[in-house]
Amino acid sequence: MSKAQLKKHLNTLEKPQIIEMVMELYDARKEARDYLDYYDL
């Protein structure tokens, strides 16, 4: 998926859906966890 496609898809989601997606990504990938931890989110 390109960045443009991802942005288009994210714009169709409701906030709770985006939160769930980020939480799943956090659990699924150490790199994502490290990235989010680095930015103190």
Side-chain angles (χ1 to χ4, degrees), residues 5-7 12 15-16 20 23 26 29 35 37 40:
Q5 290 172 313
L6 177 59
K7 185 175 181 178
T12 68
K15 183 177 178 178
E20 182 64 28
M23 296 302 296
Y26 186 89
R29 302 292 302 186
Y35 178 84
D37 288 343
D40 198 29

Side-chain angles (χ1 to χ4, degrees), residues 9 22 24 28 30 33 36 41:
H9 177 70
V22 171
E24 289 176 6
K30 182 184 182 317
R33 191 174 324 123
L36 294 172
L41 299 177

Side-chain angles (χ1 to χ4, degrees), residues 1-39:
M1 177 182 287
S2 69
K3 283 186 180 181
Q5 290 172 313
L6 177 59
K7 185 175 181 178
K8 186 176 182 180
H9 177 70
L10 290 173
N11 280 320
T12 68
L13 300 176
E14 299 291 326
K15 183 177 178 178
Q17 293 173 301
I18 295 172
I19 291 171
E20 182 64 28
M21 182 184 293
V22 171
M23 296 302 296
E24 289 176 6
L25 180 62
Y26 186 89
D27 288 338
R29 302 292 302 186
K30 182 184 182 317
E31 295 86 356
R33 191 174 324 123
D34 292 344
Y35 178 84
L36 294 172
D37 288 343
Y38 176 79
Y39 285 99

